[in-house]
Amino acid sequence: QRRLLRRKRRKSWQLRKTEWFDIETPVATLLGETDVVVANHHAYSDAMCDTYISQVKAQAYVIPVWDYYHPQPAPLSRMLSQSLYAGERSVFAAGMVDSNRSRLGEDGLKIKPAGHVVTRVYPGGEKFQIFVLNDRNEAYEILYKTGEIKSNI
């Protein structure tokens, strides 16, 4: 009887673990379409599933990078995929180093310049703009900026 109880507990834990792993689907359902998304778990291999990306339909993704393994190729490919939803989108990676970009191949070249990413939402929320600032010194000069982007929401 004690062994059976352990098995039941283990199965219950496995079920909860499976439900936890796919937290992105219910979150995406709640969020709906969003203009700018900060990548889940640094766009590591366990994050940014197809369902999440196809439901949020972001125009821009921001990946907080602090490790050589951020982002992983598969999540980056999904963020850029036109098969999940049509339309232009940009990917920004704060803290990205050149060796990391080259590891990601062609998709790595599509990531905007690295730096401090700032999103400016204009009054009324109908448009926004994204800036990348040089975070290597205290002047924080602008390295890259988008034009004004019309909100999809």
Side-chain angles (χ1 to χ4, degrees), residues 119-129 148-149 151:
T119 302
R120 177 180 185 209
V121 179
Y122 288 89
E126 294 177 11
K127 58 186 175 177
F128 64 97
Q129 190 170 13
E148 293 179 0
I149 303 168
S151 174

Side-chain angles (χ1 to χ4, degrees), residues 61-116:
Y61 294 96
V62 179
I63 306 169
V65 176
W66 62 266
D67 187 293
Y68 178 76
Y69 299 102
H70 303 152
Q72 287 288 296
L76 177 59
S77 178
R78 289 191 292 267
M79 285 185 270
L80 294 167
S81 174
Q82 291 292 312
S83 67
L84 295 178
Y85 66 96
E88 289 188 39
R89 79 268 338 242
S90 299
V91 176
F92 298 85
M96 180 81 116
V97 294
D98 289 337
S99 59
N100 209 0
R101 188 181 301 276
S102 63
R103 173 183 64 83
L104 295 164
E106 194 174 311
D107 283 345
L109 299 174
K110 296 175 184 174
I111 298 173
K112 303 302 181 199
H116 184 73

Side-chain angles (χ1 to χ4, degrees), residues 15 44 52-53 55 57 67 72 91 122 137 152-153:
L15 177 62
Y44 198 66
Y52 183 82
I53 291 169
Q55 288 188 19
K57 293 182 173 79
D67 187 293
Q72 287 288 296
V91 176
Y122 288 89
N137 61 53
N152 284 337
I153 304 172

Side-chain angles (χ1 to χ4, degrees), residues 6-19:
R6 277 193 212 138
R7 280 190 193 143
K8 283 183 179 179
R9 283 185 187 152
R10 193 175 305 137
K11 284 182 181 179
S12 172
W13 177 81
Q14 287 173 339
L15 177 62
R16 279 183 291 205
K17 183 179 175 188
T18 303
E19 290 170 353

